[in-house]
Amino acid sequence: MKVLKFGGTSVGSSESIRNVKNIINSVSGKKLIVLSAMSGVTNELVRITEYFKSGNQPDAGYVVKALKIKHEDLTDALFPSQEENLKIKSHISNLFDGLNGIIEGDFSENAEAKIMTFGETVLTYIFSGFLQSSGIKNNLLDAKKFMQVSNLENPDTEKVGRLFQQYIKGMEDNEIYITQG
């Protein structure tokens, strides 16, 4: 399986996302597509975390609202079909409701980790849906299910590989798997 990683600038606009789709189509065989958050989103998630940590939920909420609009605008650009557009936006709205729920709670390292991975979670959902709407079957994976790394300097890649294989076992056999990273 080939691993293709696309950073924030590579997935920063509808045009660049269409380009990623073309790149993926040009590579044969099974592929694991690893996507970052859209360009600029991680910086905004850092701002949300800082506001949240300092107890400034109102400003954190304003940044969340702006990020939601950014992702809805992307959805509008990628999904001309009203039915698909509304389906994707409904799920995005649920994800953002979850993010708002986090910042309304108490700060913790776990809450911070959820906030910091949020941009990748939203974008991979949008991208998977975009490929599906283009007739490209894929499996959307949750990286938290297999990316368990206790030592960043020397990760146990065999363990990650085993967890990955266990996770995809029984899924529909597609050539494309999409995850966060």
Side-chain angles (χ1 to χ4, degrees):
M1 183 176 293
K2 297 173 186 160
V3 177
L4 291 92
K5 168 76 166 107
F6 296 94
T9 304
S10 299
V11 291
S13 68
S14 60
E15 181 179 305
S16 58
I17 287 174
R18 286 184 180 93
N19 188 47
V20 168
K21 179 185 89 167
N22 293 336
I23 292 168
I24 291 168
N25 280 337
S26 72
V27 177
S28 62
K30 286 193 180 237
K31 300 168 276 288
L32 176 63
I33 311 304
V34 181
L35 301 178
S36 294
M38 288 176 69
S39 179
V41 168
T42 300
N43 291 339
E44 294 302 287
L45 294 171
V46 168
R47 282 183 57 212
I48 291 168
T49 301
E50 289 169 354
Y51 287 138
F52 178 41
K53 190 184 277 190
S54 68
N56 186 349
Q57 276 85 0
D59 283 343
Y62 292 130
V63 180
V64 169
K65 188 178 285 187
L67 284 178
K68 183 178 180 188
I69 291 168
K70 178 177 181 129
H71 287 87
E72 287 175 340
D73 289 347
L74 177 66
T75 301
D76 288 339
L78 292 174
F79 298 90
S81 158
Q82 185 175 8
E83 183 180 335
E84 289 173 335
N85 187 299
L86 291 175
K87 177 186 169 202
I88 297 294
K89 280 186 178 175
S90 175
H91 187 75
I92 289 171
S93 185
N94 290 337
L95 291 172
F96 275 94
D97 287 347
L99 180 58
N100 279 315
I102 292 169
I103 65 171
E104 290 168 3
D106 294 326
F107 182 81
S108 67
E109 286 184 18
N110 186 40
E112 181 178 19
K114 288 178 181 178
I115 293 169
M116 293 308 301
T117 59
F118 183 80
E120 296 164 348
T121 299
V122 174
L123 186 65
T124 53
Y125 177 77
I126 293 170
F127 186 73
S128 174
F130 173 63
L131 291 184
Q132 294 285 2
S133 73
S134 302
I136 302 170
K137 291 184 175 189
N138 65 84
N139 291 326
L140 177 60
L141 308 178
D142 180 356
K144 292 182 230 55
K145 304 278 187 188
F146 59 91
M147 285 303 299
Q148 297 180 13
V149 179
S150 58
N151 182 338
L152 292 176
E153 292 176 15
N154 295 303
D156 185 348
T157 55
E158 287 183 28
K159 178 181 179 182
V160 171
R162 274 192 318 277
L163 292 171
F164 177 79
Q165 290 301 325
Q166 289 171 356
Y167 181 49
I168 66 170
K169 190 176 186 177
M171 286 185 176
E172 184 178 343
D173 189 30
N174 289 311
E175 285 201 1
I176 299 175
Y177 295 85
I178 300 169
T179 195
Q180 308 79 37

